[in-house]
Amino acid sequence: MRALITGASAGLGAEFARQLSKMGYDLILVARREDRLKELSAELGTRTEIITMDLSLEENCYKLFESLENTKIDLLINNAGFGLFGEFTDTDLDKELNMIDLNIKSLHILTKLFLKKFKEADCGRILNVASSAAFLSGPLMATYYATKAYVLRLTDAISEELRRDKSKVYIGALCPGPVDTEFSAVAGVNFALAGIKADYCVRYALKKMFKGKKIIIPGVVVRTGVFFQRFLPYSILRRISFNIQRKKG
Ligand SMILES: NC(=O)c1ccc[n+]([C@@H]2O[C@H](COP(=O)([O-])OP(=O)(O)OC[C@H]3O[C@@H](n4cnc5c(N)ncnc54)[C@H](OP(=O)(O)O)[C@@H]3O)[C@@H](O)[C@H]2O)c1
């Protein structure tokens, strides 16, 4: 068994690598920081290949797929991503376009290329890392929330196509609330809610993924919040969201 994990040099990606390695998976780990990937690889008990690559560059996504064309991948975890805090008119446009390239475009390309291959073989799993941000609009983190809504909607739609095709291929979206990783430092936020631990988040995600759950929300507080928000109108939700976001600045 072999898993390909993007954004494996830190946080959730590194934790996916640790737990999947313990389950016997060989790993292909992708991120930009080679030293971090090497350190992680040295602590893992199964065969590991590291690929140092900036996935926000479209051509690298194609290169990655092509370089693995003759390698059997059983599980793809599209995890690489980042956020950015600030009012929409103040945030840096180039950073946001880079975020869209990584959070949306690279995930879209890799999902399509690997899914085609998986469908032909009628096996394989894709876990796309979205966020609980996918369920709301996110004033003060508008672009990040919108990218994660894209990930959730895309993944959910494909899962229905697969179900109707009676395909054995799995695709699902992981939608955690705050998790203790490097995410908040990169995004420039302080979480209003205490984050869950990355090892809990990943253990829960893998358990649910292997059971075939399509939308995975770790943590009872966030799960309850997502459940109840369907009863509130958007006019209220976006105000609540603003107030939660404001505390992160
Ligand atoms: N932490 C949270 O609260 C939280 C909540 C919900 C969802 N998420 C999602 O979970 C995923 C993982 O985030 P995390 O919390 O683990 O954050 P993290 O600790 O900052 O890790 C992000 C990973 O993405 C990689 N990455 C960033 N830019 C990249 C690029 N251009 N090309 C390739 N890899 C890149 C980073 O590696 P390099 O810098 O070495 O490239 C790192 O390995 C993200 O999609 C995030 O949106 C996080």
Side-chain angles (χ1 to χ4, degrees), residues 7-13 30-33 53-56 79-82 102 129-132 144 148 176-179 181-183 186 191:
S9 64
L12 291 175
V30 188
R32 293 166 304 177
R33 286 172 292 177
M53 189 173 260
D54 182 347
L55 287 173
S56 66
N79 163 76
F82 73 95
L102 181 66
V129 180
S131 166
S132 61
Y144 176 70
K148 293 302 180 177
V179 189
T181 65
E182 294 171 17
F183 176 88
V186 174
F191 285 129

Side-chain angles (χ1 to χ4, degrees), residues 51-246:
I51 301 180
T52 312
M53 189 173 260
D54 182 347
L55 287 173
S56 66
L57 300 172
E58 189 178 326
E59 64 268 27
N60 281 348
C61 301
Y62 291 105
K63 268 190 208 157
L64 176 63
F65 178 74
E66 280 156 21
S67 72
L68 297 172
E69 211 144 18
N70 298 317
T71 306
K72 188 172 182 296
I73 307 285
D74 304 281
L75 168 61
L76 163 64
I77 303 187
N78 274 315
N79 163 76
F82 73 95
L84 181 65
F85 183 83
E87 209 160 291
F88 187 69
T89 44
D90 296 338
T91 43
D92 186 274
L93 180 57
D94 286 340
K95 266 193 194 163
E96 285 173 331
L97 293 177
N98 187 247
M99 188 199 303
I100 291 168
D101 285 341
L102 181 66
N103 294 12
I104 293 183
K105 218 166 161 186
S106 80
L107 178 140
H108 185 115
I109 294 170
L110 293 176
T111 297
K112 183 173 292 262
L113 297 178
F114 279 98
L115 186 64
K116 279 186 174 182
K117 205 172 159 186
F118 287 179
K119 269 184 92 174
E120 275 164 24
D122 203 21
C123 69
R125 290 186 173 90
I126 299 178
L127 183 64
N128 284 338
V129 180
S131 166
S132 61
F135 299 103
L136 281 171
S137 51
L140 301 179
M141 258 183 125
T143 308
Y144 176 70
Y145 274 57
T147 66
K148 293 302 180 177
Y150 182 92
V151 173
L152 175 61
R153 293 298 168 211
L154 180 80
T155 306
D156 199 43
I158 297 169
S159 81
E160 179 60 12
E161 292 179 3
L162 291 173
R163 191 186 68 81
R164 285 182 184 263
D165 285 349
K166 298 192 172 24
S167 171
K168 293 198 181 89
V169 177
Y170 165 90
I171 192 165
L174 172 60
C175 302
V179 189
D180 260 343
T181 65
E182 294 171 17
F183 176 88
S184 50
V186 174
V189 298
N190 295 306
F191 285 129
L193 285 176
I196 57 172
K197 297 280 173 234
D199 65 339
Y200 165 76
C201 179
V202 166
R203 200 171 322 111
Y204 185 88
L206 290 175
K207 188 175 90 185
K208 295 293 178 184
M209 180 192 76
F210 286 120
K211 283 187 177 164
K213 189 149 178 66
K214 305 290 166 43
I215 299 178
I216 302 169
I217 309 174
V220 72
V221 176
V222 174
R223 219 161 34 245
T224 309
V226 170
F227 177 80
F228 281 108
Q229 89 191 28
R230 71 192 68 178
F231 302 112
L232 292 172
Y234 275 116
S235 56
I236 305 281
L237 283 175
R238 69 175 80 93
R239 284 168 199 223
I240 294 175
S241 182
F242 179 87
N243 283 313
I244 294 173
Q245 292 298 116
R246 190 170 46 179

